[in-house]
Amino acid sequence: MQLSNKKNKQKMGRPHVMVIPYPAQGHVLPLMSFSRYLAQQGIQITFINTEFNHNRIINSISKSSHDDYVGDRIKLVSIPDGLEDSPEERNIPGKLSESVLRFMPTKVEELIERMISENNGGAVISCVVADQSLGWAIEVAAKFGIRRAAFCPAAAASMVLGFSIQKLVDDGLIDYDGTPKVRKAIKLSPGMPEMETDKFVWVCLKNKDSQRNIFQLMLQNNKSIESTDWLLCNSVYELETAAFGVAPKILPIGPIGLAHHSLQQESTSLGSFLPQDRDCLDWLDRKIPGSVIYVAFGSFGIMGKAQLEELAIGLAITKRPVLWVNSCGDQPPIEAGSDRIKVVRWAPQREVLSHRAIGCFVSHCGWNSTLEGAQNGIPFVCIPYFADQFINKAYICDVWKIGLGIELDERGVVPRLEVKKKIDEVMRANGDYKKRAIMVKQTLMKSVAKDGFSYENLNKFVNWVKLQSELTKF
Ligand code: UDP
């Protein structure tokens, strides 16, 4: 549609943020929540997805068992990720990052150029908010003289680890391509979770070339972030005081999903790559409060056959009801026809975790899942397998003490008796894990309430964006 000159002028003055997530589910969802909060404050959003993810999102909305809402303040735009000819590589994080880096900067640049020319040279974008792992997006924005913010969808501790790379090299803990020289547990600062050198975020990749590339990318990202006006983090000051103390530039604004909790419930699925199975909410309604074990391992959901079997048996011998998300499609080996175990492909996880029937979360400890369990006062049983999940598990088990980890056997599999033992322990009535989980929940609620740190930081950012658009009006 052609806009009149007058309309163009009005549009130029309206605050407008371009949001660019890393193209994975655990990044798109929190940035979508963030965008929806901004949109609610009157800011226009252009949200960039890869074509592949964009199609999945639109497809999920249309298959959703109830209406979703995008709203006219959020415009979903898509660009190719360069993996059209080798789609299987999208499931390999190292490969995806490499392709994104090769392909997307030019596409984003072209998009911004187009947006600017369509608006008669006006400063149409007040700020670009890019995923912290996409340093190139920050640099593209800088080329156009657009203000910039980086958004970290992981714990501040994960960012502090990235910022500490040079010190880790100097201390002889890793070499120049990130490979650990010694195996030991370290603390970057007292009060921060312990990190094992052989489980550093970049080390967990099996492919050495990919490890080197990701490691170099992290160093490059550290540089790009230096030029941003803001470094926002989907975390909570009180949960990570020590990490925020080490890197005061990182501003907590989370949990972002909780910050916008006043928005319509029906919008919570926007950004999901798979349609949500909402029948499981009715199933939960029929269960005793605090009785259900929720099992979900995030969007990658990698689990071997032996692991799946032991876990299924471990869950069965607890004799408790189980809601199990199995996003990778393999049916877990469970008793057929039982109403005690429900398996779904993709759940409305935020709503599930806030349901009174949930008593425990068996989780891979992705950061979003960690926050979503914590904000609902749910104790955890942790089975991390990848990337920052080990840091998050250390927060849950050792710092906040709201969950227990599972010791793997010599095959690297979770033993069935260990599964039952840990679940029984965290679900004990009036137990310490539940009590501490409730305290953590209260801390999180305070942080997003008026005068809380996250609330204040988020609204400072909103006001700053509005000011930028005022400044570019004239
Ligand atoms: N999620 C969901 N339904 C599911 C499983 C996961 O909506 O059945 C959402 C979950 O609420 C979270 C995100 O997917 O917001 C997963 O992010 P996380 O950081 O926990 O894990 P990742 O997928 O990045 O490993």
Side-chain angles (χ1 to χ4, degrees), residues 17 37 46 53 79 81 116 144 163 214 234 244 271 278 292 295 321 356 380 407 445-446 456-457:
V17 171
Y37 184 82
T46 297
N53 288 342
I79 55 177
D81 61 7
I116 291 176
F144 288 94
F163 292 163
I214 297 280
N234 186 22
F244 287 113
R278 301 188 61 81
V292 176
V295 185
R356 66 184 185 288
F380 285 80
E407 295 298 326
M445 301 297 283
K446 268 197 207 136
E456 293 286 325
N457 287 335

Side-chain angles (χ1 to χ4, degrees), residues 19 29-45 47 69-70 73-74 151 253 255-264 267 270 350 448-450 454-463 466:
V19 177
L29 281 173
L31 269 163
M32 186 59 85
S33 293
F34 174 76
S35 299
R36 290 179 53 238
Y37 184 82
L38 262 50
Q40 197 193 34
Q41 310 303 312
I43 296 171
Q44 181 71 37
I45 304 289
F47 195 95
Y69 156 92
V70 180
R73 287 232 176 92
I74 300 182
F151 179 99
I253 54 160
I256 193 69
L258 197 59
H260 77 267
H261 68 286
S262 60
L263 295 179
Q264 301 95 318
S267 308
L270 181 60
R350 286 187 196 160
V448 295
K450 204 165 182 313
S454 287
Y455 177 92
E456 293 286 325
N457 287 335
L458 189 53
N459 287 299
K460 256 187 225 158
F461 176 72
V462 167
N463 292 334
K466 291 182 175 170

Side-chain angles (χ1 to χ4, degrees), residues 1-298:
M1 188 176 69
Q2 194 63 44
L3 295 169
S4 73
N5 276 345
K6 190 164 164 245
K7 269 191 181 160
N8 261 349
K9 267 193 193 134
Q10 281 168 358
K11 203 172 173 203
M12 274 161 54
R14 197 205 272 184
H16 184 172
V17 171
M18 175 181 272
V19 177
I20 315 178
Y22 180 82
Q25 183 69 96
H27 296 242
V28 170
L29 281 173
L31 269 163
M32 186 59 85
S33 293
F34 174 76
S35 299
R36 290 179 53 238
Y37 184 82
L38 262 50
Q40 197 193 34
Q41 310 303 312
I43 296 171
Q44 181 71 37
I45 304 289
T46 297
F47 195 95
I48 315 289
N49 279 304
T50 60
E51 273 168 10
F52 179 71
N53 288 342
H54 177 84
N55 293 339
R56 289 201 284 178
I57 289 169
I58 300 300
N59 195 27
S60 301
I61 294 174
S62 65
K63 284 203 185 126
S64 187
S65 44
H66 70 160
D67 289 342
D68 211 317
Y69 156 92
V70 180
D72 60 3
R73 287 232 176 92
I74 300 182
K75 186 170 177 213
L76 302 179
V77 174
S78 66
I79 55 177
D81 61 7
L83 286 172
E84 289 66 32
D85 296 330
S86 44
E88 66 293 341
E89 296 198 346
R90 292 202 178 92
N91 296 326
I92 310 170
K95 294 276 174 211
L96 179 62
S97 296
E98 285 159 30
S99 180
V100 160
L101 182 62
R102 221 175 319 119
F103 217 72
M104 289 177 65
T106 322
K107 296 287 162 197
V108 169
E109 203 169 323
E110 285 165 8
L111 177 68
I112 295 179
E113 249 161 21
R114 238 181 3 257
M115 285 168 71
I116 291 176
S117 70
E118 276 166 16
N119 282 273
N120 302 332
V124 68
I125 304 165
S126 331
C127 174
V128 165
V129 178
D131 200 293
Q132 158 270 321
S133 62
L134 302 180
W136 57 262
I138 291 162
E139 277 157 29
V140 168
K143 248 192 206 173
F144 288 94
I146 301 172
R147 307 309 292 259
R148 313 170 283 286
F151 179 99
C152 172
S158 299
M159 289 218 71
V160 170
L161 174 62
F163 292 163
S164 308
I165 286 175
Q166 189 55 52
K167 183 167 177 354
L168 297 174
V169 173
D170 295 345
D171 291 351
L173 293 169
I174 55 171
D175 65 20
Y176 285 97
D177 66 4
T179 307
K181 287 164 107 176
V182 282
R183 246 186 103 176
K184 73 186 241 196
I186 59 148
K187 271 192 184 184
L188 293 170
S189 136
M192 277 185 69
E194 241 177 29
M195 300 178 190
E196 289 170 40
T197 51
D198 61 341
K199 293 201 177 92
F200 283 155
V201 176
W202 56 86
V203 179
C204 304
L205 297 159
K206 291 199 179 83
N207 177 325
K208 277 281 162 202
D209 283 341
S210 289
Q211 171 184 309
R212 266 189 289 275
N213 290 342
I214 297 280
F215 188 70
Q216 288 309 321
L217 207 57
M218 285 180 73
L219 289 171
Q220 184 57 44
N221 286 340
N222 285 346
K223 284 210 190 92
S224 312
I225 287 170
E226 279 171 19
S227 77
T228 59
D229 295 284
W230 299 79
L231 176 46
L232 307 170
C233 182
N234 186 22
S235 183
V236 176
Y237 178 76
E238 292 82 353
L239 287 190
E240 296 200 78
T241 321
F244 287 113
V246 176
K249 187 179 174 187
I250 310 175
L251 287 189
I253 54 160
I256 193 69
L258 197 59
H260 77 267
H261 68 286
S262 60
L263 295 179
Q264 301 95 318
Q265 270 295 311
E266 64 264 30
S267 308
T268 58
S269 71
L270 181 60
S272 269
F273 295 170
L274 289 170
Q276 295 177 336
D277 180 333
R278 301 188 61 81
D279 291 349
C280 64
L281 296 172
D282 300 332
W283 182 85
L284 285 175
D285 286 345
R286 299 196 296 274
K287 301 293 174 231
I288 297 167
S291 69
V292 176
I293 306 166
Y294 176 58
V295 185
F297 299 104

Side-chain angles (χ1 to χ4, degrees), residues 25-26 29 294 298-300 325 346-347 349 364 366-369 372:
Q25 183 69 96
L29 281 173
Y294 176 58
S299 49
F300 291 99
V325 175
W346 193 249
Q349 180 164 302
H364 72 312
W367 184 245
N368 296 293
S369 295
E372 290 160 13

